[in-house]
Amino acid sequence: MSLPHAILTALLEKPSSGLELTRRFDKSIGYFWSATHQQIYRELGRLEREGYIRALPAPTPARGQKKEYEVLPEGRAELARWTAASQDPKPLRDPLLLRLRAAAVVGTDGIEADLRRHLDLHRRQLAEYEEIEKRDFPPGLDSVEDRLQHVVLRAGIDLETFWARWLEQTLEELGLDPSQALSSPSRLPGDDKA
């Protein structure tokens, strides 16, 4: 049920068209809650039917003009209700962890290359988050809104840091050098046991 709430949040930050929302999801909200443009447009229609948002009147009527949406009081109330509600953390479901567990049984062919690929992806995401932090959160920003947005970004930084360290340790545990560049897969020690 979080996609409608992500959309309500984005629209309260700035009234937007579906296309603008899609772009904003790609640049910010999408780092922690992704959605395709089809999902966003479908959800906009549902939110409008439920009276949570409305399309702003166009300054000049034109055929094919994109609709810009704003949140209505009912939508703000729904978002406030959802924000205040208690929710348990979701269990981690990551296919890489399951694949490593399976590799213990069937062998590690292909695992090294994918571990290195994941490490590279997490390092790049970490660098991107750190760049956003430098650019968007200079010292002195002290409003509650700024602090909350910053703690969400810090969560991303901390998670990417965790994953990068964990992947480095996993490669070391397998007797591999985590600083070695991504290359063709090689056999891991003990592969001949499988």
Side-chain angles (χ1 to χ4, degrees), residues 4 21 27 33 45 53 87 93 119 153 156 162 171 178 185 191:
L21 276 175
K27 292 181 187 171
W33 196 269
I53 65 172
Q87 192 172 40
R93 291 176 53 147
L119 178 57
L153 178 62
F162 161 78
L171 286 164
D191 273 355

Side-chain angles (χ1 to χ4, degrees), residues 2-18 20-26 28-30 32-33 40 44 47 53 68-71 75-76 79 82 145 149:
S2 293
L3 178 57
H5 299 102
I7 291 172
L8 288 170
T9 300
L11 289 175
L12 279 169
E13 291 172 346
K14 180 182 177 222
S16 303
S17 68
E20 290 165 339
L21 276 175
T22 300
R23 289 179 180 150
R24 288 173 61 204
F25 263 73
D26 289 344
S28 62
I29 292 174
F32 56 90
W33 196 269
I40 290 170
L44 284 169
L47 289 169
I53 65 172
E68 192 167 276
Y69 295 92
E70 71 175 353
V71 177
R76 181 180 281 276
L79 187 59
W82 179 78
E145 179 184 89
Q149 289 177 353

Side-chain angles (χ1 to χ4, degrees), residues 147-160:
R147 286 183 289 174
L148 288 174
Q149 289 177 353
H150 194 194
V151 297
V152 171
L153 178 62
R154 287 293 324 159
I157 289 170
D158 291 347
L159 284 169
E160 294 303 328

Side-chain angles (χ1 to χ4, degrees), residues 3-5 7 38-48 50 53:
L3 178 57
H5 299 102
I7 291 172
Q38 292 96 341
Q39 290 171 315
I40 290 170
Y41 280 100
R42 187 171 47 246
E43 199 58 46
L44 284 169
R46 191 177 75 72
L47 289 169
E48 190 173 26
E50 291 180 3
I53 65 172

Side-chain angles (χ1 to χ4, degrees), residues 1 30 39-40 43 67 70 76 88 98 107-108 141 154 158 176 183:
M1 181 75 178
Q39 290 171 315
I40 290 170
E43 199 58 46
K67 289 183 187 178
E70 71 175 353
R76 181 180 281 276
D88 292 337
L98 183 56
T108 57
L141 290 180
R154 287 293 324 159
D158 291 347
L176 302 166
S183 62

